[in-house]
Amino acid sequence: MEYTTLVAVYNRLSATDATGEKRAILADVFADAGGALPRLVVLVWGRLGPAYDRPELGVSSSLALEAVCRATGAAKSAVRERWRETGDLGSAAAWAAEHGGQQTLFAESLTVDRVHERLREVATFAGEGSRTRRVDAVAGLVADADPDEACYVVRTVLGHVRVGVGEGLIRDALADAFLDGSDAAVAAIESAYQVTSDYPLVAERAREAGLDGVQALDISLGRPVRAMLAAKAASLDAGLSSAAGPDDRIHCEYKYDGVRVQLHVDDEIRVFTRRLADVTAQFPDVVRAVERGIEGPAILDGEVVGYDPATLGGDAAARAPVPFQELSTRVKRERGVERVAAEVPVVFHAFDYLYNGATLLDRPLADRLDRLESRLTPISPRPAGDPAVAGLELATAARTSADDPDPAAALYRAALETGHEGLVLKDPTAPYTPGRRVGRLLKLKPTMEPLDLVVTRAKYSEGRRSGLLGRLSLACRDEAASEAGDPALREVGRLSTGYTDDELAALTDRLEARVVARDGRAVDLQPGVVLEVEYEEIQRSDAYDSGYALRFPRFLGTRADLGLADVDTLARVEHLYESQ
Ligand code: ATP
């Protein structure tokens, strides 16, 4: 297929905002695509492969700019100017192809296959000279492109074709093109996609084998399944009653705060994140543990958690997990992986078993877990002192029933005491439902307790609320530094959401009576107005003199019944910070 034919499709797609029209355009294109179907399905989406295969081209916008200038003969400053004006380097490339002054010989016209293959090849360039090779490759395509083609080559290189096609639209168009377009057909495409993460495959199967063929698509090694997701439980009791299976049984597990990964174990072991990125190279320590602890073929779901190395060695309960942020940087790391792995040892906590050579997705959870337990040989992190090997364990769990909350409550306490995030409550009879947030998997985390804080400073808002005091600085009491009758206050954050206009107007009246100094729109206040505030978490911060900052504080109400002496203390803020 000529690339210009695909470019015409891009142009038709971007000419309309109507989803129905886009769906019809795509369905026609898919139906007529012939052998180009698998490539078209990903290219209209601005990708170069299925969702789990996203080659890293290593082409930044400045490298693409260089390639465009080289290919078209346009001056860098002029292309940059177009880019700045339109915010789109693709449009700037089209302009350059038209006005660059290079005599284009159209040595070889572009085809869909050539663009696709060449760009995938770019992702394989590594080592010395690879930057030049990348520029050459992109410039080679742009040199043979007409202006519209140049635009889409560049946009594809940058990973964003800007024609408004997402996963949902591809699903609907495939259902129209090859099935009967009904809700059932759309649902079948959706399920097949959740289980394969592979639209080219689903598309070809739909065309060749219709609905039955699509429904027969299943989990397989090397293609990550979309992770089953959890709904939120408001409380332990609520969670227990929603998660309970028909026989009232419940499976409770620690909720770990790490990186969710899916392990594909065969002769080769691969590690995928929840976003379907292949991070095998980033977790060599996990791969080594899996080599020792589980024989393929197998697909496992679980969480990789980092631990403070000083706390390893003894009882698992004594290990201190490191904050998620410390581990998450590993996912993108390209160099120094082994060093970082040795610094922050990890454990893969397995909590599901999806495949053992045959699919296990439809089996009840309890059965999947029994099989997992008999298949997996636990490995302690750093076995025999080897820092290059991770741990491999089943998630810490308890089984109970809806009318006996004690084991779940004990597990919840233990999870929090050992530094984990909370609990996950699961229906032991439930199948694994890829990609869905279903009520048979519930997560339970402590919500932060609200704080009562005093307003010390404020600022008049701008715009619609300009007469109202909007940005309110909040402080806690530093008991250690306070003298009788003269409490020392330490700021912990600034509040600007959660109140209605009327609440803010009433608050402004109360605060204005306490203004002691003005500086432009800012006012200092005689502290005395106490507010109840909720927030997402407490962070360490130099921005405030308490050394802490509330993340996403929200107004819950004015506590007219409280005075300065009732304001929460810095010690309590510290305690909450430690316990979150
Ligand atoms: P959160 O920020 O609460 O982790 P999320 O949006 O990342 O939520 P959810 O599906 O809502 O993801 O919550 C479930 C997440 O909890 C999973 O993605 C997984 O990473 C994590 N998790 C930790 N322990 C378990 C466990 N034992 N079973 C299932 N999921 C677990």
Side-chain angles (χ1 to χ4, degrees):
M1 182 186 271
E2 293 298 313
Y3 192 58
T4 185
T5 312
L6 173 59
V7 166
V9 174
Y10 285 139
N11 282 335
R12 285 174 62 204
L13 288 166
S14 64
T16 173
D17 285 333
T19 312
E21 263 180 67
K22 285 185 196 279
R23 176 171 172 169
I25 295 169
L26 276 182
D28 281 350
V29 171
F30 291 160
D32 296 339
L37 181 64
R39 281 182 172 162
L40 273 185
V41 165
V42 296
L43 286 169
V44 291
W45 188 21
R47 305 275 180 97
L48 295 168
Y52 61 87
D53 176 19
R54 303 184 68 175
E56 209 35 80
L57 297 191
V59 179
S60 61
S61 25
S62 66
L63 195 149
L65 174 68
E66 202 176 318
V68 167
C69 295
R70 160 105 67 80
T72 60
K76 224 178 208 175
S77 56
V79 182
R80 203 177 264 130
E81 181 58 23
R82 296 282 142 180
W83 179 16
R84 204 186 50 74
E85 271 170 26
T86 56
D88 171 26
L89 188 50
S91 305
W95 178 88
E98 194 160 359
H99 300 95
Q102 194 87 312
Q103 286 303 313
T104 314
L105 300 173
F106 289 113
E108 203 186 330
S109 73
L110 294 181
T111 62
V112 168
D113 286 2
R114 178 174 160 214
V115 172
H116 184 249
E117 270 159 30
R118 192 72 179 127
L119 292 183
R120 285 201 63 111
E121 207 180 323
V122 169
T124 65
F125 297 162
E128 212 177 304
S130 58
R131 186 178 192 282
T132 314
R133 292 176 74 198
R134 283 188 205 115
V135 177
D136 289 348
V138 177
L141 292 174
V142 174
D144 285 342
D146 68 19
D148 268 6
E149 290 176 332
C151 171
Y152 284 104
V153 164
V154 168
R155 287 184 181 176
T156 305
V157 162
L158 298 176
H160 191 23
V161 287
R162 299 174 172 234
V163 294
V165 172
E167 288 176 325
L169 210 54
I170 295 180
R171 174 198 61 208
D172 297 349
L174 288 175
D176 287 349
F178 305 120
L179 308 177
D180 65 8
S182 63
D183 288 352
V186 168
I189 299 276
E190 170 78 20
S191 301
Y193 180 56
Q194 296 294 352
V195 101
T196 60
S197 309
D198 192 335
Y199 267 143
L201 174 75
V202 174
E204 288 200 296
R205 185 58 72 88
R207 182 174 64 185
E208 262 113 61
L211 186 63
D212 290 347
V214 168
Q215 284 171 335
L217 280 171
D218 212 339
I219 185 168
S220 92
L221 281 161
R223 286 197 313 241
V225 170
R226 298 279 166 149
M228 181 169 173
L229 300 174
K232 251 188 205 144
S235 65
L236 184 58
D237 287 342
L240 288 174
S241 54
S242 322
D247 58 357
D248 260 5
R249 306 291 300 163
I250 294 156
H251 181 81
C252 318
E253 274 167 0
Y254 274 16
K255 183 175 195 310
Y256 298 97
D257 192 15
V259 177
R260 174 93 175 256
V261 302
Q262 206 173 96
L263 296 177
H264 287 232
V265 189
D266 204 11
D267 293 342
E268 187 191 5
I269 294 165
R270 291 175 74 186
V271 185
F272 294 98
T273 66
R274 176 173 152 186
R275 293 179 184 275
L276 312 178
D278 186 332
V279 290
T280 312
Q282 282 68 35
F283 290 98
D285 45 348
V286 172
V287 170
R288 287 181 205 112
V290 172
E291 279 164 358
R292 294 168 189 221
I294 187 150
E295 243 180 70
I299 300 179
L300 272 60
D301 191 4
E303 192 97 348
V304 173
V305 180
Y307 288 93
D308 177 349
T311 63
L312 293 183
D315 186 4
R319 290 181 206 148
V322 300
F324 162 72
Q325 290 81 347
E326 264 185 57
L327 184 64
S328 62
T329 56
R330 206 152 134 197
V331 167
K332 293 220 171 242
R333 182 172 282 276
E334 285 186 355
R335 287 194 207 128
V337 171
E338 294 286 1
R339 180 180 48 79
V340 177
E343 275 166 22
V344 181
V346 300
V347 175
F348 174 79
H349 297 278
F351 52 68
D352 221 319
Y353 191 24
L354 314 185
Y355 178 85
N356 63 354
T359 180
L360 299 173
L361 297 179
D362 290 332
R363 304 238 171 213
L365 172 68
D367 177 37
R368 300 197 300 275
L369 290 174
D370 288 346
R371 288 163 186 264
L372 179 60
E373 194 170 357
S374 56
R375 185 77 177 270
L376 182 136
T377 310
I379 309 286
S380 321
R382 299 188 164 178
D386 185 348
V389 184
L392 178 68
E393 294 171 1
L394 291 172
T396 303
R399 292 186 188 185
T400 183
S401 63
D403 54 14
D404 179 16
D406 291 351
L411 194 74
Y412 191 27
R413 261 193 308 276
L416 297 179
E417 272 164 18
T418 48
H420 296 291
E421 210 182 10
L423 277 196
V424 183
L425 308 170
K426 303 181 180 184
D427 172 356
T429 65
Y432 192 94
T433 38
R436 307 261 170 73
R437 212 174 272 286
V438 285
R440 304 166 101 177
L441 178 56
L442 288 134
K443 58 181 176 183
L444 179 67
K445 299 194 266 194
T447 41
M448 296 300 294
E449 292 169 48
L451 287 167
D452 299 319
L453 300 166
V454 65
V455 187
T456 48
R457 297 180 294 146
K459 207 168 181 181
Y460 283 96
S461 308
E462 290 183 273
R464 193 172 61 81
R465 285 175 163 177
S466 61
L468 303 176
L469 281 169
R471 278 165 72 81
L472 312 180
S473 296
L474 302 171
C476 60
R477 255 176 338 120
D478 184 353
E479 269 186 319
S482 299
E483 302 197 9
D486 182 19
L489 299 175
R490 302 277 178 255
E491 289 187 351
V492 286
R494 218 166 283 133
L495 177 72
S496 42
T497 53
Y499 22 57
T500 62
D501 286 4
D502 287 346
E503 283 170 334
L504 196 56
L507 201 51
T508 300
D509 284 345
R510 294 192 64 199
L511 293 171
E512 277 182 334
R514 296 181 157 268
V515 171
V516 291
R518 288 179 189 269
D519 179 8
R521 297 202 328 273
V523 294
D524 287 346
L525 302 164
Q526 153 106 60
V529 175
V530 179
L531 306 182
E532 186 177 22
V533 175
E534 66 171 11
Y535 51 91
E536 200 173 79
E537 70 174 321
I538 301 175
Q539 296 177 321
R540 275 212 171 275
S541 166
D542 291 330
Y544 301 105
D545 59 1
S546 64
Y548 295 93
L550 303 185
R551 191 151 179 260
F552 302 128
R554 278 176 64 79
F555 173 81
L556 283 180
T558 305
R559 293 296 305 262
D561 54 329
L562 300 184
L564 264 189
D566 305 304
V567 168
D568 275 314
T569 61
L570 181 57
R572 180 162 153 73
V573 171
E574 267 161 357
H575 174 72
L576 288 169
Y577 169 80
E578 297 296 342
S579 62
Q580 67 191 356

